[in-house]
Coordinates of all heavy atoms in Angstrom, one line a residue:
G4 N 0.8 -1.2 0.0 CA 0.0 0.0 0.0 C 0.9 1.2 0.0 O 2.1 1.2 0.2
G5 N 0.3 2.4 -0.2 CA 1.0 3.6 -0.2 C 0.7 4.4 1.0 O -0.4 4.3 1.6
G6 N 1.6 5.3 1.3 CA 1.3 6.3 2.4 C 0.2 7.2 2.0 O 0.3 7.8 0.9
N7 N -0.8 7.3 2.8 CA -1.9 8.3 2.5 C -2.4 8.8 3.9 O -1.8 8.7 4.9 CB -3.0 7.6 1.7 CG -3.5 6.4 2.3 OD1 -3.3 6.1 3.5 ND2 -4.3 5.6 1.5
A8 N -3.6 9.3 3.8 CA -4.2 9.9 5.1 C -4.7 8.8 6.0 O -5.1 9.2 7.1 CB -5.3 10.8 4.7
G9 N -4.7 7.6 5.7 CA -5.1 6.5 6.5 C -5.7 5.4 5.8 O -5.7 5.4 4.6
E10 N -6.2 4.4 6.5 CA -6.8 3.2 5.9 C -8.2 3.1 6.5 O -8.6 3.7 7.5 CB -6.0 2.0 6.2 CG -4.7 2.0 5.4 CD -3.8 0.8 5.6 OE1 -4.0 0.1 6.6 OE2 -2.9 0.6 4.7
S11 N -9.0 2.3 5.9 CA -10.5 2.2 6.2 C -10.8 1.2 7.3 O -11.6 0.3 7.1 CB -11.2 1.9 4.9 OG -10.7 0.7 4.3
Y12 N -10.1 1.3 8.4 CA -10.5 0.4 9.6 C -11.9 0.7 10.0 O -12.6 -0.2 10.6 CB -9.5 0.7 10.7 CG -8.1 0.7 10.4 CD1 -7.3 1.8 10.1 CD2 -7.4 -0.5 10.3 CE1 -6.0 1.8 9.8 CE2 -6.1 -0.6 9.9 CZ -5.4 0.5 9.7 OH -4.1 0.5 9.3
L13 N -12.4 1.9 9.6 CA -13.8 2.2 10.0 C -14.8 1.3 9.3 O -15.9 1.0 9.9 CB -14.1 3.6 9.5 CG -13.3 4.8 10.1 CD1 -13.6 6.1 9.5 CD2 -13.4 4.8 11.6
L14 N -14.5 0.7 8.2 CA -15.4 -0.3 7.6 C -15.5 -1.5 8.4 O -16.6 -2.1 8.5 CB -14.9 -0.6 6.2 CG -15.1 0.4 5.1 CD1 -14.4 0.0 3.8 CD2 -16.6 0.5 4.8
A15 N -14.5 -1.9 9.1 CA -14.6 -3.1 10.0 C -15.5 -2.8 11.1 O -16.3 -3.6 11.5 CB -13.2 -3.5 10.4
W16 N -15.3 -1.6 11.7 CA -16.1 -1.2 12.8 C -17.6 -1.0 12.4 O -18.5 -1.4 13.1 CB -15.7 0.2 13.4 CG -14.3 0.1 14.0 CD1 -13.6 -1.0 14.3 CD2 -13.5 1.2 14.4 NE1 -12.4 -0.7 14.9 CE2 -12.3 0.7 15.0 CE3 -13.7 2.6 14.4 CZ2 -11.3 1.5 15.5 CZ3 -12.7 3.4 14.9 CH2 -11.5 2.8 15.5
Y17 N -17.8 -0.5 11.2 CA -19.2 -0.3 10.7 C -19.8 -1.7 10.5 O -20.9 -2.0 10.9 CB -19.2 0.4 9.3 CG -20.5 0.5 8.7 CD1 -21.4 1.5 9.0 CD2 -20.9 -0.5 7.8 CE1 -22.7 1.6 8.4 CE2 -22.2 -0.4 7.2 CZ -23.1 0.6 7.5 OH -24.3 0.7 7.0
F18 N -19.1 -2.6 9.9 CA -19.6 -4.0 9.6 C -19.9 -4.7 10.9 O -21.0 -5.3 11.1 CB -18.6 -4.8 8.8 CG -19.2 -6.1 8.3 CD1 -19.9 -6.1 7.2 CD2 -18.9 -7.3 9.0 CE1 -20.5 -7.3 6.7 CE2 -19.5 -8.5 8.6 CZ -20.2 -8.5 7.4
A19 N -19.0 -4.6 11.9 CA -19.2 -5.2 13.2 C -20.4 -4.7 13.9 O -21.2 -5.4 14.5 CB -17.9 -5.1 14.1
A20 N -20.5 -3.3 13.9 CA -21.6 -2.7 14.6 C -23.0 -3.0 14.0 O -23.9 -3.2 14.7 CB -21.4 -1.2 14.6
F21 N -23.1 -3.0 12.7 CA -24.4 -3.0 12.0 C -24.7 -4.3 11.2 O -25.8 -4.5 10.8 CB -24.5 -1.8 11.1 CG -24.4 -0.5 11.9 CD1 -23.4 0.4 11.6 CD2 -25.3 -0.2 12.9 CE1 -23.3 1.6 12.3 CE2 -25.2 1.0 13.6 CZ -24.2 1.9 13.3
H22 N -23.7 -5.2 11.0 CA -23.9 -6.3 10.1 C -23.4 -7.6 10.7 O -23.2 -8.6 10.0 CB -23.3 -6.1 8.8 CG -23.9 -5.0 8.0 ND1 -25.1 -5.1 7.3 CD2 -23.5 -3.7 7.9 CE1 -25.4 -4.0 6.8 NE2 -24.5 -3.1 7.1
T23 N -23.3 -7.7 12.0 CA -22.9 -9.0 12.7 C -23.9 -9.3 13.8 O -24.5 -8.4 14.4 CB -21.5 -9.0 13.3 OG1 -21.4 -8.0 14.3 CG2 -20.5 -8.8 12.2
R24 N -24.2 -10.6 13.9 CA -25.0 -11.1 15.1 C -24.2 -12.3 15.6 O -23.8 -13.1 14.9 CB -26.4 -11.5 14.6 CG -27.2 -10.3 14.1 CD -28.6 -10.7 13.8 NE -29.2 -11.4 15.0 CZ -30.4 -11.8 15.1 NH1 -31.2 -11.6 14.0 NH2 -30.9 -12.4 16.1
T25 N -24.1 -12.3 16.9 CA -23.4 -13.4 17.5 C -24.3 -14.0 18.6 O -25.0 -13.3 19.3 CB -22.1 -13.0 18.1 OG1 -22.3 -12.0 19.2 CG2 -21.1 -12.4 17.1
D26 N -24.2 -15.3 18.7 CA -24.9 -16.0 19.8 C -24.5 -15.6 21.2 O -25.4 -15.4 22.0 CB -24.6 -17.5 19.6 CG -25.4 -18.4 20.6 OD1 -26.6 -18.5 20.4 OD2 -24.8 -18.9 21.5
A27 N -23.2 -15.3 21.3 CA -22.7 -14.9 22.7 C -23.4 -13.6 23.1 O -23.8 -13.4 24.3 CB -21.2 -14.8 22.7
F28 N -23.5 -12.7 22.2 CA -24.1 -11.4 22.5 C -25.6 -11.5 22.6 O -26.2 -11.0 23.6 CB -23.7 -10.3 21.6 CG -24.1 -8.9 22.0 CD1 -23.4 -8.2 23.0 CD2 -25.3 -8.3 21.5 CE1 -23.8 -7.0 23.4 CE2 -25.7 -7.1 22.0 CZ -24.9 -6.4 22.9
E29 N -26.2 -12.1 21.6 CA -27.7 -12.1 21.5 C -28.3 -12.9 22.7 O -29.3 -12.5 23.2 CB -28.2 -12.8 20.2 CG -27.7 -12.0 19.0 CD -28.3 -10.6 18.8 OE1 -29.5 -10.5 19.2 OE2 -27.7 -9.7 18.3
K30 N -27.7 -14.0 23.1 CA -28.3 -14.9 24.1 C -27.7 -14.7 25.5 O -28.4 -14.9 26.5 CB -28.1 -16.3 23.7 CG -28.9 -16.7 22.5 CD -28.8 -18.2 22.2 CE -29.6 -18.5 21.0 NZ -29.5 -19.9 20.6
R31 N -26.4 -14.2 25.6 CA -25.8 -14.1 26.9 C -25.2 -12.7 27.2 O -24.6 -12.5 28.2 CB -24.7 -15.2 27.0 CG -25.1 -16.6 26.9 CD -24.0 -17.6 27.0 NE -23.0 -17.5 26.0 CZ -23.1 -18.0 24.8 NH1 -24.2 -18.6 24.4 NH2 -22.1 -17.9 23.9
N32 N -25.5 -11.8 26.3 CA -25.0 -10.4 26.4 C -23.5 -10.4 26.7 O -23.0 -9.5 27.4 CB -25.8 -9.7 27.5 CG -25.7 -8.2 27.3 OD1 -25.7 -7.7 26.2 ND2 -25.7 -7.5 28.5
Q33 N -22.7 -11.3 26.1 CA -21.3 -11.3 26.2 C -20.7 -10.6 24.9 O -21.0 -11.0 23.8 CB -20.7 -12.7 26.3 CG -21.1 -13.4 27.5 CD -20.6 -14.8 27.6 OE1 -20.4 -15.4 26.5 NE2 -20.4 -15.4 28.8
K34 N -19.9 -9.6 25.2 CA -19.2 -8.9 24.1 C -18.2 -9.8 23.5 O -17.5 -10.7 24.1 CB -18.5 -7.7 24.6 CG -19.4 -6.5 24.9 CD -18.6 -5.3 25.2 CE -19.5 -4.1 25.5 NZ -18.7 -2.9 25.7
G35 N -18.0 -9.6 22.2 CA -16.9 -10.3 21.5 C -15.6 -9.5 21.5 O -15.6 -8.4 22.1
L36 N -14.7 -10.0 20.8 CA -13.4 -9.3 20.6 C -13.3 -9.0 19.1 O -13.5 -9.8 18.2 CB -12.2 -10.2 21.0 CG -12.2 -10.7 22.4 CD1 -11.1 -11.7 22.7 CD2 -12.2 -9.6 23.4

């Protein structure tokens, strides 16, 4: 990659926040890593 203003780590956070469902969180309210 090239040096620029940054990389899109935000897409990972967006995907995790709005497009994942986990059994641990849904059933046991346990956060993932």
Side-chain angles (χ1 to χ4, degrees):
N7 56 13
E10 291 179 340
S11 55
Y12 308 100
L13 299 178
L14 284 170
W16 295 349
Y17 176 87
F18 190 82
F21 301 117
H22 294 280
T23 62
R24 292 186 57 177
T25 61
D26 184 70
F28 188 79
E29 300 293 326
K30 292 184 179 176
R31 298 182 298 281
N32 203 34
Q33 292 177 336
K34 287 186 176 184
L36 302 175

